[in-house]
Structures are given as structure tokens and as C-alpha cells.
Amino acid sequence: DAKTTQPNSMESNEEEPVHLPCNHSTISGTDYIHWYRQLPSQGPEYVIHGLTSNVNNRMASLAIAEDRKSSTLILHRATLRDAAVYYCILRDVVSNDDMRFGAGTRLTVKP
Amino acid sequence: DAGVTQSPTHLIKTRGQQVTLRCSPKSGHDTVSWYQQALGQGPQFIFQYYEEEERQRGNFPDRFSGHQFPNYSSELNVNALLLGDSALYLCASSFKSGQQDYGYTFGSGTRLTVV
């Protein structure tokens, strides 16, 4: 019952920007868009989340399409430490649904 | 400020045995969720505890049960272990606050191996 669609894998070169796409065509008005990443042998780590407007923090930027049916996580300058599995998750804040993870996108960063 | 703490970090059990995993949430968090992550897959939601009650449950059998204590810490119990229960068990904590969404903090997990 995954509500998001992400590519299985992506590659990037070190110090170049990375754009990780996520499709969520059935998003509702109260669904927040969350991004988490999981480095090898660690638990998932919060990256960023947003509802309607684009968001920026020290780790990344989140660009949300005007119709909210897709979003893009932007890493401005990829480093080797950004190699991880990135998960895009919708969470309905009204129903307080829990986080439901899909398979995510495995990002490989090449030196 | 300590994040989410899980114990033990690794565990080996025999089929049919029972296991208890423990989680201390991040300071200020009142909600604990448990996940099972098989090798190469995304985390699968088991259940969530808030105010010492199970509030939501994923598609897991009754062999999986839990508890939340007044200090918000939580335990995950699995009875009659199967080989297929071998996985990384993750605990995540969060703060419930009306319609604000603050995201989750995850622990590093407990690696359970059933032999």
C-alpha cells in the first residue's frame, strides 16, 4: 500500500548536486511529505519534511510541485557520506498515521 | 541530549524462544513506534505506543506485543520466535502535538538473529 514511488537507485558524482524524485499522485491535503535516509548499519535519519511550500535546512532542500503530486529532495553538493538509501514518505497529520516506508532510492556517490 | 537508545544492540535466539527488546525515547518525546527491517528492505511498521496504549498496528501477528511505561520507554516482545523473525528491529520516538508534524527520531536498532 505504498503511497509514494521512487527510483530504485541513482548515482551521483562527489561535489555535484543530486535531485532525488518522488511521485505521490494520491497525496491528500493533510499529508506531510517526509524524507529520511539510512546509512549502512544505522537507523533512518530525518532529512527534511514539508506540506506545501519548499523547505530548506542545513542538510537539504525539498521542492514540492505546485499540485503536490511530486517532490524532489535536493542535496546541493553530494559527499561520500551522503551515500545512503533515501525514503520519501507521506504522513497524514490528521489521522496520525505512522511512518510507512517503501523500498527507497539507493544513492551511490562516486569520487 | 541523548537520542533514542535501544538495547541490546545484538541478540541471538533459538527458534521457539521469546525475546524482549528495549527502547528509551529521545528526551521530550512521548510516542514510540517499532519497526522490523529485513535485510535489503525498508522498515516495516509493527506498532505504535502513546499514553501507555497501543494506538496503531501494522500487519504483524499477535506473537509481537509491546508495552510503554510511564516514563515513555517501551519494550517489544516476540514470542515463539521463527527463523523469519531475524531482522533489525528499530525504535522511533516522536512527539504528538495536535496537527503539527515534527518527524521521528530513530535508534540504531537491535539486530536479532534466530537460529
Side-chain angles (χ1 to χ4, degrees):
Chain A
D1 61 342
K3 298 191 288 186
T4 64
T5 305
Q6 299 178 254
N8 290 332
S9 62
M10 290 184 65
E11 284 189 354
S12 172
N13 293 317
E14 196 176 12
E15 298 189 3
E16 289 186 356
V18 181
H19 290 234
L20 297 165
C22 181
N23 289 317
H24 28 78
S25 59
T26 60
I27 191 170
S28 75
T30 52
D31 279 331
Y32 272 80
I33 303 161
H34 286 255
W35 282 84
Y36 285 76
R37 71 179 186 181
Q38 188 171 21
L39 280 65
S41 303
Q42 295 187 26
E45 172 189 30
Y46 168 82
V47 178
I48 201 165
H49 77 293
L51 184 61
T52 56
S53 303
N54 294 344
V55 184
N56 299 295
N57 66 22
R58 64 174 181 82
M59 290 181 68
S61 295
L62 175 60
I64 301 173
E66 196 169 335
D67 64 5
R68 301 184 68 240
K69 293 186 176 182
S70 66
S71 60
T72 302
L73 178 69
I74 303 166
L75 307 179
H76 296 286
R77 287 183 69 222
T79 70
L80 297 178
R81 289 174 295 179
D82 291 323
V85 178
Y86 287 77
Y87 298 98
C88 170
I89 303 163
L90 298 185
R91 182 165 181 258
D92 187 334
V93 70
V94 172
S95 64
N96 262 323
D97 280 350
D98 211 86
M99 297 283 182
R100 307 294 172 115
F101 288 75
T105 296
R106 182 172 297 279
L107 176 65
T108 302
V109 180
K110 296 182 290 184
Chain B
D1 178 25
V4 176
T5 304
Q6 292 189 244
S7 63
T9 55
H10 296 82
L11 200 53
I12 300 175
K13 289 287 190 178
T14 305
R15 274 181 302 175
Q17 284 189 317
Q18 178 264 344
V19 68
T20 297
L21 310 181
R22 295 176 176 81
C23 172
S24 292
K26 181 178 179 179
S27 177
H29 285 185
D30 57 7
T31 303
V32 172
S33 301
W34 287 92
Y35 291 81
Q36 179 195 68
Q37 186 173 26
L39 208 57
Q41 297 183 21
Q44 298 299 304
F45 172 66
I46 303 176
F47 43 53
Q48 181 188 78
Y49 277 85
Y50 173 65
E51 292 185 333
E52 301 180 47
E53 289 188 14
E54 183 183 295
R55 299 292 178 168
Q56 297 182 57
R57 189 178 183 92
N59 188 26
F60 279 81
D62 292 344
R63 298 187 297 109
F64 290 77
S65 64
H67 190 78
Q68 186 180 33
F69 299 94
N71 67 353
Y72 308 118
S73 67
S74 176
E75 289 182 348
L76 164 65
N77 301 294
V78 187
N79 294 323
L81 284 166
L82 305 173
L83 295 180
D85 294 331
S86 295
L88 179 68
Y89 288 84
L90 295 160
C91 171
S93 72
S94 58
F95 175 68
K96 270 200 196 301
S97 173
Q99 296 189 13
Q100 283 293 319
D101 193 341
Y102 296 102
Y104 286 17
T105 301
F106 283 82
S108 296
T110 294
R111 171 71 62 187
L112 172 65
T113 302
V114 182
V115 297

